[in-house]
Amino acid sequence: MRDMMGLMKQAQDMQKKMADMQAQLDTLEFEGSAGGGLVTVVMTAKNVLKSVKIDPSLMVAGEQEILEDLVISACNDARNKAERAVADRMAEVTRGLPIPPGMKLF
């Protein structure tokens, strides 16, 4: 019975930590860049695009495909940074809990 109470307490603590982490992640923004910083984007942890900045030197007629590729690369860079931050924070929250490998909680 004591073990069950301990598990319930751990679950409640983890639930609170998860809610706190979610609230914190909702406020974080991640910058991604491509082309040596010629294109930068800012995204949230939920992959909401907040801003795009493009260096004027990239505004060349007939070079649209290059610019499009750089925007995609910058977005992917920001998304990867956000995913790493979420994974790191999740590892902090679940440290010490007996969670099976590969189980995703977020």
Side-chain angles (χ1 to χ4, degrees), residues 15-35:
Q15 190 173 26
K16 168 120 176 58
K17 287 179 184 178
M18 293 279 288
D20 292 345
M21 181 188 74
Q22 181 64 44
Q24 185 181 44
L25 286 173
D26 287 345
T27 65
L28 295 179
E29 295 181 346
F30 301 88
E31 184 176 289
S33 66

Side-chain angles (χ1 to χ4, degrees), residues 3-19 93 97-98:
D3 288 344
M4 181 61 96
M5 295 299 285
L7 282 174
M8 289 179 65
K9 173 78 170 114
Q10 277 185 322
Q12 288 174 339
D13 290 346
M14 187 177 83
Q15 190 173 26
K16 168 120 176 58
K17 287 179 184 178
M18 293 279 288
V93 169
L97 294 176

Side-chain angles (χ1 to χ4, degrees), residues 31-71:
E31 184 176 289
S33 66
L38 294 174
V39 174
T40 60
V41 300
V42 175
M43 297 179 82
T44 68
K46 291 184 177 182
N47 294 325
V48 174
L49 187 60
K50 302 287 274 190
S51 70
V52 177
K53 292 182 183 163
I54 300 171
D55 189 279
S57 68
L58 292 173
M59 305 295 187
V60 178
E63 300 289 329
Q64 178 179 348
E65 190 174 320
I66 293 170
L67 179 55
E68 290 168 347
D69 289 344
L70 289 172
V71 170

